[in-house]
Amino acid sequence: MNKKTKLMILAGAAVLFAGVFLFYDVGRNPDYVLPKRGIKIAAIVLTGGCIAFSTMIFQTITANRILTPSIIGLDSLYLFIQTFIIFVFGSQSLTMTDKNINFLLSVGLMVLFALLLYQLLFKREGRNIYFLLLVGIVFGTLFGSMSSFMQVLIDPNEFQIVQDRMFASFNNVNSDLLLVSAVITGAAAIYFVKFSHILDVLSLGKEHAVNLGIDYDGAVKRLLILVAVLVSAATALVGPITFLGLLVANVAQEMFKTHQHKYLIPGAILVSIIALLGGQFIVERIFTFSTTLSVIINFIGGVYFIYLLLRENKSW
């Protein structure tokens, strides 16, 4: 089976899953149910696309299949921002009650953090991508520890609000935020077009890319900014889903067995959409909202992560 056929099958499966999710058990109020489910599907497509897209780019840059953009600390920073706002201003502050302000503040601070991190680390010669990952892990641990400290001190009722932000949820997606996220994602996709032809070369490694005439450091810095924008938009919209990118990127690579990103990126996006649609359907119909989608995704992704580590260990 060739790669184009596999893409068509995945696209058909995604449409089928979307149709089942949209029309299953509509009941007597389709005018109310269908728009609500339509917003969920749009959020799932947007979030799944952003996470898969950014993870494929990130793994290409780092040349490592067990890394995701969350390693640079953006998920931890998002939780720190939400906890800090409630800790200082309370849950009734304008920043928390107005979802538009909260979304723009979260995205802005996460992108600003990434820009400052890249600027400081790439300012000196000889600093490679692995130094960035090390510093990202340190900052992620710092943000996580500070968030935990503030969560212990805040009122238990307000902690419940923070806890809701810890897990991704598609149940109360704001349509206005969805539109803003779509605009941000569309702009990022347009910006990516001029780099799309060099991803296959970047996957060969820095030395080969430089020998083939690629401005490696400049391309990596711009692609990392793109990754930060995509991850920030998806995280601020629905919350953190740590292992989704790891899961779908590796499934796509196993399916297509190629280094050509014209197949890997759309394949990962489609796998991500199918996984989120299927997972949300299970959460609603089988678990009846007793758990969240991110818990299921993180559990499966964590098990798969351990499997990848064990497999790599055997290959060594």
Side-chain angles (χ1 to χ4, degrees), residues 78-153:
Y78 171 76
L79 293 177
F80 171 74
I81 293 169
Q82 302 304 310
T83 307
F84 179 80
I85 292 171
I86 291 181
F87 180 77
V88 176
F89 302 105
S91 59
Q92 298 304 314
S93 65
L94 180 64
T95 310
M96 292 303 297
T97 56
D98 191 318
K99 291 186 177 182
N100 294 324
I101 295 176
N102 187 280
F103 174 82
L104 293 175
L105 179 65
S106 299
V107 172
L109 289 176
M110 284 190 283
V111 173
L112 179 62
F113 166 73
L115 290 174
L116 291 175
L117 191 62
Y118 301 157
Q119 184 64 28
L120 290 173
L121 295 183
F122 286 105
K123 194 172 182 179
R124 295 184 181 180
E125 294 293 334
R127 295 283 177 85
N128 58 29
I129 190 68
Y130 296 105
F131 189 78
L132 168 66
L133 300 180
L134 178 61
V135 174
I137 292 172
V138 172
F139 272 108
T141 304
L142 173 64
F143 292 140
S145 299
M146 294 172 68
S147 298
S148 299
F149 174 73
M150 288 185 289
Q151 287 164 14
V152 171
L153 299 178

